Amino acid sequence: MEPTASSIWYVDALDPVSVLRDHATPDPDAARALVRQLYPEMTAVPLRSDSLATSAAPSAREVFVGTYPGVTVVCSPDLAQNRPSTLDGSWTRPLASERTYLVCAEDALPWGSFAYWEHGELRRSFSATASFIHENIGLPLVWERPYWAGEHPPRRSFDRFPDPLSLPFHPGEFADAANLQWLGFGYAAAGGELSPPDLTVCGFTLYAAGEELPAPPPAAIEVRRRRRWWHRRAG
């Protein structure tokens, strides 16, 4: 499964939309510390900072983190699970946050999932393809009603008879609507107060123990040389 979005949000702020709008640049030190906590057996090498628009669904061995006041997002392919309820507590509440939101989607399948925890306790979880529900835990939230009522029907192909078991909505769009409801923007949906290009996240590549790490770029090597020269001069 190659998701188009694979993200989890840890939220303490009462108004996360305002936080993201006013603090679009993350804290790189806090991002690195969280990656080390989530992947204690791996070595995280800084990759690059990029927009959430291009980093919401990282490749294998990559992780992107945005840390803002009271709001943190982690984008990792490890989050794209058919049953969100099975995610380990190390993922659902690593920062002891009040609320945790998971949103994953893959348009080509199509597939989508979302989940919501309060103080580490699962309140709602949904995961499905167009015609098969993997998981549906908890009472539907208020914003879900128009989707279940058929007000957001999926696009149909006129040359193919629809599956009689098909859901009345596209599961990826359903998951994206959860992100829009909780965080003020959708990865694909328009009309939110924010958009993924507005937010910057810090990227890391993960290496297992014993793997050879990449050589630092020339600029980093030159900075280290200058630091050594400065320390010798100061001493």
Side-chain angles (χ1 to χ4, degrees), residues 37-191:
Q37 180 180 344
L38 293 171
Y39 295 96
E41 299 180 356
M42 309 288 281
T43 298
V45 176
L47 178 61
R48 65 184 182 276
S49 293
D50 211 336
S51 78
L52 185 61
T54 58
S55 308
S59 302
R61 300 164 60 99
E62 291 184 353
V63 59
F64 287 85
V65 179
T67 51
Y68 321 95
V71 181
T72 296
V73 61
V74 177
C75 303
S76 167
D78 297 329
L79 297 166
Q81 305 291 330
N82 283 335
R83 296 184 178 274
S85 64
T86 63
L87 277 177
D88 187 82
S90 62
W91 272 108
T92 59
R93 207 181 181 215
L95 302 177
S97 54
E98 291 189 11
R99 299 175 302 283
T100 300
Y101 303 124
L102 173 78
V103 175
C104 299
E106 205 277 288
D107 286 337
L109 190 55
W111 166 80
S113 72
F114 62 86
Y116 164 45
W117 291 262
E118 278 188 357
H119 300 284
E121 183 177 348
L122 182 67
R123 299 295 188 184
R124 179 76 173 112
S125 177
F126 179 85
S127 173
T129 61
S131 57
F132 182 80
I133 296 178
H134 294 286
E135 185 166 89
N136 188 17
I137 298 175
L139 294 175
L141 302 171
V142 173
W143 63 265
E144 298 182 38
R145 291 176 181 172
Y147 286 85
W148 291 108
E151 297 178 20
H152 299 275
R155 295 178 292 275
R156 304 289 188 185
S157 174
F158 291 103
D159 60 353
R160 182 180 304 174
F161 191 77
D163 188 327
L165 299 179
S166 293
L167 291 170
F169 48 78
H170 187 294
E173 294 177 359
F174 192 37
D176 203 40
N179 207 88
L180 178 63
Q181 175 71 26
W182 292 328
L183 297 152
F185 73 94
Y187 291 107

Side-chain angles (χ1 to χ4, degrees), residues 32 36 43-46 213-233:
R32 178 182 288 223
R36 288 174 177 170
T43 298
V45 176
L213 300 182
I221 294 175
E222 181 61 26
V223 169
R224 291 178 183 176
R225 286 175 179 170
R226 290 179 181 177
R227 286 176 178 173
R228 286 198 295 267
W229 172 83
W230 172 256
H231 286 306
R232 287 198 300 269
R233 182 181 180 187

